Amino acid sequence: MKQLLIVEDDPGLQSQMRWCFSEDIEVSVAADRDAALTALRRLEPEVVTLDLGLPPDPGGATEGFALLEDILRLAPMTKVIVVTGREDKENAVKAIGMGACDFYQKPLDADILTFVVNRAFRLAELEKENRELSAQGNGTNIKGIVATSPEMLTICRTVEKVAPTDVTTLINGETGTGKELLARALHDLSQRADQPFVAINCAAIPENLLESELFGFEKGSFTGATQSKKGKIENANGGTLFLDEIGDMPMALQAKLLRFLQERVVDRVGSVKPIPVDVRVVCATHRNVQDLISQGEFREDLYYRVSEITLDVPALREREGDPLVIAQSLLKTLGKQLDRPHLTFSDDAVQAINAYGWPGNVREMINKVKRAIIMADGKRITADDLVLPLSGCDTDFQLNLRQVRENAERKAIIQALMTSNFNMAQASRLLGVTRPTLYNLTDKYRIETNTATNGA
């Protein structure tokens, strides 16, 4: 949920402001500078509304400006909306100059306040998306490919290097790994990008029709051929021809394809006049071509012709870190399409996504995420919604960095207290913090500090 911190010392205004916002915004309140800084560290809110008139200077703005400086120093990405009185325009301008993102003037108007706060949340969201995109740093221009793993980034960079050339490329990989996306990238990043990209699935067309689909036919060449027709190869002239599942191409047609690749001419069915074409050829298959060659199901000379460059696309289970990144990207995209844009994954869903083997690769993930978006009851998608097993997951694994940090802090404090026999002064020295800080931490984590006294 979105986190909003309201810094306001007037209890009446606190109550009014708290109820201005929708259920997807979690509102917290602080009445002074210390409480606000504590809430800032604990909650890490995206947006803060800050009344400049805070105790011990409720009639002035010194405490408010000091707190604004603290917030911008400790959490520079937080969007601060300064709340001022009607006569405090100078303070509002000064606050904007210091780094506040907006200001709001009293008296309270719920509609205007809601608008200003929602605008700040939207700005924070856009900046976060921009940082995430920059942080990916994969340097690829491949549409539709989401990747952070070294294995997939290597493939993407190879595509970028190969694309400007016209070499025939073979893409190997399991079904659902994105072979056609890579083929399209080879076309889009080439000098042929403004020319046709023509794809044909060699496994989806009956053997007796595949030749005419690829090479075309002349009128009267067979029963039903009432007029001449160009084949896929001619339609791709000037652009790129993508032969998907070439491993399933019949042996008889492989010889004719080999001649085309060598001569770059097309012989239509029923014609004796070769037609020259200029196309770049990209092939893909999920089958092991070397095994097909040894079994006599694929021509070795054709293999060497189509594999001038070979790309071996790793399965999703072999791409460390990519399953969760892809799942989050799908959740965002599909969530908007299905009008449920605010869903997130629960901890058990994250663990299940990382632990699952994904035999159907990205295609299977699309299916499961789409189903989960439809079936989820609340705001968070669980492993059950994804229909993923939790067996094999490390249930002790914490993905949330703040939770990991808090667990470590709590453990260190308890150990220091036990080592010092619950002497607060000695424990604070062991931890390298002041006694007031240690008292704040023990309050925060609800750690008993009088155990030794009680036991005496």
Side-chain angles (χ1 to χ4, degrees):
M1 293 181 67
K2 299 174 183 175
Q3 293 281 351
L4 170 65
L5 173 61
I6 296 174
V7 185
E8 171 60 60
D9 64 327
D10 186 325
L13 279 176
Q14 286 181 359
S15 179
Q16 291 180 52
M17 294 174 73
R18 180 188 288 274
W19 297 110
C20 287
F21 305 103
S22 57
E23 293 181 355
D24 64 334
I25 297 178
E26 186 170 333
V27 181
S28 303
V29 177
D32 55 44
R33 183 178 174 187
D34 289 341
L37 290 176
T38 300
L40 183 75
R41 291 188 176 97
R42 290 184 182 179
L43 304 174
E44 300 175 3
E46 296 97 328
V47 178
V48 175
T49 65
L50 171 60
D51 183 6
L52 292 176
L54 296 174
D57 184 23
T62 55
E63 192 74 2
F65 280 128
L67 178 55
L68 176 59
E69 289 181 344
D70 290 337
I71 294 172
L72 295 176
R73 185 183 71 256
L74 295 171
M77 297 298 106
T78 300
K79 301 303 163 194
V80 182
I81 301 169
V82 171
V83 182
T84 66
R86 287 288 185 188
E87 309 302 322
D88 293 335
K89 289 186 178 179
E90 290 183 3
N91 284 338
V93 172
K94 179 180 177 182
I96 296 295
M98 291 173 64
C101 79
D102 210 337
F103 71 93
Y104 171 80
Q105 290 183 324
K106 297 178 182 178
L108 179 68
D109 183 309
D111 291 336
I112 296 177
L113 177 62
T114 302
F115 174 80
V116 172
V117 169
N118 285 335
R119 183 168 61 184
F121 272 118
R122 179 57 181 156
L123 178 60
E125 181 183 0
L126 289 172
E127 290 185 357
K128 182 181 178 183
E129 289 177 358
N130 186 55
R131 289 195 302 273
E132 288 174 349
L133 288 172
S134 299
Q136 286 178 8
N138 55 25
T140 66
N141 299 309
I142 299 180
K143 182 180 179 181
I145 295 291
V146 177
T148 58
S149 64
E151 298 85 359
M152 199 62 191
L153 293 183
T154 300
I155 294 291
C156 292
R157 294 202 173 97
T158 302
V159 167
E160 292 173 347
K161 291 178 181 179
V162 173
T165 70
D166 269 345
V167 296
T168 306
T169 306
L170 176 63
I171 305 174
N172 294 316
E174 294 180 7
T175 300
T177 51
K179 297 189 294 295
E180 184 166 351
L181 290 174
L182 295 173
R184 286 188 176 273
L186 287 169
H187 173 74
D188 292 340
L189 299 177
S190 72
Q191 296 178 350
R192 299 175 181 266
D194 58 347
Q195 298 297 319
F197 176 87
V198 178
I200 182 169
N201 190 320
C202 301
I205 300 173
E207 182 175 344
N208 59 334
L209 296 179
L210 184 56
E211 181 179 7
S212 59
E213 281 292 316
L214 271 175
F215 295 93
F217 54 85
E218 294 291 349
K219 179 180 178 181
S221 58
F222 54 84
T223 303
T226 57
Q227 60 183 6
S228 299
K229 180 184 176 181
K230 289 183 178 180
K232 296 287 188 180
I233 297 175
E234 281 186 78
N235 288 331
N237 192 26
T240 301
L241 174 69
F242 176 48
L243 299 174
D244 197 7
E245 299 302 349
I246 193 173
D248 293 287
M249 179 175 284
M251 282 291 288
L253 196 53
Q254 291 179 27
K256 190 168 183 178
L257 178 63
L258 178 61
R259 181 176 184 274
F260 155 68
L261 291 173
Q262 292 172 337
E263 306 296 334
R264 298 292 166 163
V265 294
V266 169
D267 295 317
R268 289 184 184 176
V269 177
S271 172
V272 294
K273 181 182 179 182
I275 302 171
V277 290
D278 173 27
V279 297
R280 185 207 188 140
V281 178
V282 179
C283 306
T285 181
H286 74 283
R287 304 181 68 180
N288 188 314
V289 181
Q290 296 290 354
D291 289 346
L292 294 176
I293 292 172
S294 63
Q295 295 164 13
E297 297 179 15
F298 200 87
R299 294 178 62 110
E300 188 172 10
D301 49 0
L302 178 60
Y303 169 70
Y304 291 122
R305 180 62 69 175
V306 300
S307 61
E308 294 175 337
I309 293 289
T310 301
L311 300 176
D312 294 311
V313 184
L316 188 54
R317 62 184 171 276
E318 298 168 352
R319 296 162 53 179
E320 186 176 355
D322 278 0
L324 182 58
V325 174
I326 296 172
Q328 289 172 333
S329 177
L330 289 172
L331 179 61
K332 184 175 181 180
T333 303
L334 297 175
K336 288 180 180 178
Q337 293 177 7
L338 297 171
D339 199 27
R340 299 197 69 182
H342 301 300
L343 292 174
T344 58
F345 289 119
S346 65
D347 289 345
D348 69 328
V350 169
Q351 294 163 15
I353 289 168
N354 284 323
Y356 187 57
W358 298 108
N361 294 294
V362 179
R363 199 165 290 157
E364 180 185 8
M365 182 177 284
I366 293 171
N367 178 289
K368 288 189 177 294
V369 172
K370 182 178 287 189
R371 180 194 182 281
I373 291 171
I374 296 170
M375 299 303 296
D377 292 325
K379 299 275 187 181
R380 293 166 71 81
I381 289 176
T382 66
D384 287 340
D385 295 327
L386 290 165
V387 196
L388 291 179
L390 279 172
S391 58
C393 295
D394 182 2
T395 54
D396 293 329
F397 175 70
Q398 294 284 352
L399 186 65
N400 187 288
L401 184 59
R402 183 172 59 187
Q403 187 65 50
V404 172
R405 185 171 61 243
E406 289 179 352
N407 289 343
E409 279 187 353
R410 179 182 175 85
K411 184 176 179 180
I413 292 167
I414 292 173
Q415 184 174 348
L417 288 170
M418 294 180 67
T419 301
S420 63
N421 198 26
F422 288 82
N423 182 304
M424 296 297 284
Q426 187 177 347
S428 63
R429 286 196 295 271
L430 288 172
L431 293 167
V433 298
T434 63
R435 287 181 66 185
T437 299
L438 180 56
Y439 277 112
N440 287 338
L441 289 170
T442 54
D443 289 342
K444 174 182 176 180
Y445 297 123
R446 299 180 182 178
I447 300 172
E448 292 290 337
T449 59
N450 59 350
T451 304
T453 304
N454 292 339

